[in-house]
Amino acid sequence: MKKTIIGLSLLCANSALAANLPDFLDQADIDNAQFTCLGEPVAYSAADQKYVDMLWDETLTYLKAYAIALTNGENSHCLNSDEALFDSTQGGQKMCIMDRRDMKLMVKNIYQVINNPEQAKQCFGARENVNWIYNPGGELTKNSPVAQHFKRTTFDEFFKTKVTNKEVKKIGKTFTKNFAKMVTGEEVKMPAAFPYDISANALPNLWAAAGWFPMYAEESKRNDKNFNNIRGGYAYAEIFGHWGLLRIDEINGEKVGAEVGMTVQSVDTLYPYHNHAISEIYYNMRVPACANQFKSFAVREDSPLVHTVKEDDKMRRVQFDAAQPNGHTMWLAGSASQDALLYFHQNTIHAFDVDGSCEAKPEERAIVSVWARSNANDKRNDYGTTLLCESAKNPGTPANKDEVIQCDLTKLKW
């Protein structure tokens, strides 16, 4: 893709969204940053630009709150950092998330954007012509002038025409019908580290018009290892990143690895054990209906609990005994108010179990998260790929919580 260099300007320093920096960032790297876009800037008509501007303003609002949350150490022992759970085994292991170099770079990139909005905006577009991202439709669209203006294929049409599995179609229809209820209302709540609300309650245009992808719904060899209720009940949207609305290749000549967006996973589902070579971050934005409703599992690739069974120059096949007597203690509960932040190092095996038995109307509820990957620019590894684990006893089928699981880990290159 052709890259376009965007010129510099001093005007943006006075933007209302310009933010004070964490003290680990150099002001000289932030001021008057130079952006290289992925692809040509899009020229919009005056009628279209009105709606692009609305979407852009909500994007900046979203990104700023996220950067502030990650660097907010007021509620933890961390300095200029929120605290994150990164391994749920052995009682759970936590760290100050900004101790990670990839996180410092991601926050730096976000501040370069929000402190230079006019320049960064040249890399922004509604992406309405991308044929593989979709509009959830329903009440979200009704409440969003932007989603009404920029037409996309709806979830309803996607599940009717792109999905062949009858059970996934049926689940997807229910997911579509209730999507707006899943991402709005009093159950959706920001973690304390956030300075203000960036959910669909507060940013209706961004959540409706970002472009969502039900990434497991269509038929694929990978999805043979997935559960139908996840295939039809999960979607994500990307705001900032190579696949998103704001597509920046480089800032000041340095590659940008940030991908920032949101995810929605229906209740009564197990997002299967999986891994990828790109680091990943989640902020839980839901008030649980009961104790331990949202449980997460994570084990690092170098854990003594992970055993190698096969290895070549590209991958390492490992097994983990999820059926061991204390296996249930390795799933830790979280919510918007309890261990809200998760960080998964490269090749961490992780999964999410969402209980729906305590919901009055489980079909209307989901776990909602702010989601990001931090080093997606390193394409030597499995950029863009999520590798689902499998049952060790029955390879090619989904791995349940109470059996030995098998995963292929990428041989990372640095």
Side-chain angles (χ1 to χ4, degrees):
M1 288 178 283
K2 185 176 179 181
K3 299 173 184 177
T4 305
I5 304 296
I6 306 305
L8 307 178
S9 170
L10 295 174
L11 297 177
C12 60
N14 297 320
S15 165
L17 267 167
N20 295 326
L21 301 181
D23 60 12
F24 60 78
L25 294 180
D26 186 345
Q27 190 77 45
D29 286 339
I30 308 300
D31 292 341
N32 306 310
Q34 182 174 339
F35 298 82
T36 305
C37 302
L38 282 166
E40 294 280 359
V42 179
Y44 288 100
S45 67
D48 287 344
Q49 192 64 51
K50 169 186 174 182
Y51 297 98
V52 172
D53 291 347
M54 294 170 66
L55 192 58
W56 175 239
D57 288 345
E58 291 194 13
T59 294
L60 290 178
T61 300
Y62 193 87
L63 292 175
K64 180 179 178 181
Y66 186 48
I68 291 173
L70 289 169
T71 55
N72 183 353
E74 293 180 3
N75 298 308
S76 73
H77 67 280
C78 301
L79 180 65
N80 292 318
S81 176
D82 203 356
E83 188 175 53
L85 178 74
F86 68 87
D87 191 313
S88 64
T89 67
Q90 300 173 336
Q93 301 173 62
K94 299 180 182 181
M95 67 178 184
C96 300
I97 196 167
M98 299 312 299
D99 286 349
R100 293 283 294 169
R101 172 66 172 162
D102 61 310
M103 293 303 303
K104 286 186 169 72
L105 290 175
M106 187 173 80
V107 167
K108 174 182 175 180
N109 290 159
I110 292 174
Y111 276 106
Q112 286 168 323
V113 167
I114 61 179
N115 282 31
N116 299 276
E118 293 305 314
Q119 292 79 0
K121 190 177 181 181
Q122 302 303 309
C123 301
F124 182 83
R127 303 272 280 163
E128 71 275 17
N129 295 322
V130 179
N131 63 9
W132 58 268
I133 51 178
Y134 304 91
N135 182 335
E139 291 298 315
L140 278 189
T141 297
K142 290 180 182 178
N143 293 327
S144 168
V146 176
Q148 293 174 42
H149 181 79
F150 292 114
K151 306 295 184 184
R152 296 189 198 278
T153 301
T154 63
F155 273 9
D156 184 62
E157 187 68 15
F158 168 81
F159 282 105
K160 284 180 180 177
T161 62
K162 296 290 186 72
V163 180
T164 58
N165 183 293
K166 290 183 180 180
E167 185 178 2
V168 176
K169 277 179 176 285
K170 182 179 179 181
I171 295 167
K173 183 177 180 180
T174 301
F175 184 63
T176 300
K177 178 183 177 181
N178 294 291
F179 192 87
K181 292 178 181 178
M182 292 176 174
V183 300
T184 60
E186 294 180 357
E187 292 84 4
V188 178
K189 179 184 178 182
M190 301 309 303
F194 280 77
Y196 50 79
D197 189 0
I198 60 171
S199 73
N201 292 324
L203 303 177
N205 289 298
L206 186 62
W207 283 75
W212 290 82
F213 184 37
M215 64 180 287
Y216 295 116
E218 296 179 78
E219 296 300 318
S220 71
K221 184 176 180 181
R222 175 182 68 173
N223 280 332
D224 289 343
K225 302 177 185 179
N226 209 339
F227 302 103
N228 284 342
N229 58 7
I230 279 290
R231 292 184 58 195
Y234 175 87
Y236 86 99
E238 187 166 309
I239 307 304
F240 177 15
H242 298 169
W243 309 103
L245 305 176
L246 178 59
R247 302 175 66 238
I248 301 173
D249 184 38
E250 296 179 353
I251 302 178
N252 293 341
E254 296 179 346
K255 291 291 184 181
V256 173
E259 292 183 313
V260 182
M262 53 279 267
T263 66
V264 177
Q265 177 185 338
S266 300
V267 302
D268 267 334
T269 57
L270 171 63
Y271 192 127
Y273 297 97
H274 63 288
N275 53 275
H276 32 74
I278 306 302
S279 300
E280 192 168 55
I281 310 98
Y282 287 88
Y283 262 117
N284 190 322
M285 297 166 58
R286 256 298 306 273
V287 176
C290 55
N292 303 321
Q293 183 181 16
F294 310 126
K295 290 179 287 188
S296 300
F297 171 88
V299 62
R300 294 198 63 185
E301 66 172 331
D302 57 358
S303 168
L305 301 173
V306 173
H307 306 288
T308 302
V309 296
K310 180 182 177 182
E311 193 167 7
D312 59 30
D313 61 338
K314 292 184 179 180
M315 71 87 184
R316 180 168 68 102
R317 180 164 296 166
V318 301
Q319 291 184 351
F320 170 81
D321 185 4
Q324 55 191 283
N326 65 338
H328 67 282
T329 67
M330 299 182 189
W331 289 80
L332 298 183
S335 69
S337 57
Q338 174 188 347
D339 291 332
L341 180 58
L342 304 174
Y343 177 92
F344 302 129
H345 297 78
Q346 298 95 325
N347 277 341
T348 291
I349 300 167
H350 52 293
F352 308 110
D353 186 24
V354 185
D355 182 11
S357 64
C358 57
E359 296 279 10
K361 296 181 178 180
E363 70 278 5
E364 296 180 359
R365 296 292 176 255
I367 184 171
V368 183
S369 302
V370 179
W371 161 90
R373 290 186 177 183
S374 54
N375 44 18
N377 58 297
D378 194 340
K379 298 179 182 180
R380 295 170 298 177
N381 299 314
D382 63 351
Y383 170 70
T385 301
T386 296
L387 304 173
L388 300 183
C389 302
E390 60 189 2
S391 165
K393 184 178 180 180
N394 299 297
T397 65
N400 292 299
K401 290 178 65 177
D402 57 352
E403 64 177 319
V404 176
I405 67 171
Q406 184 165 279
C407 313
D408 287 349
L409 307 182
T410 302
K411 285 286 187 72
L412 298 176
K413 306 299 180 185
W414 299 92

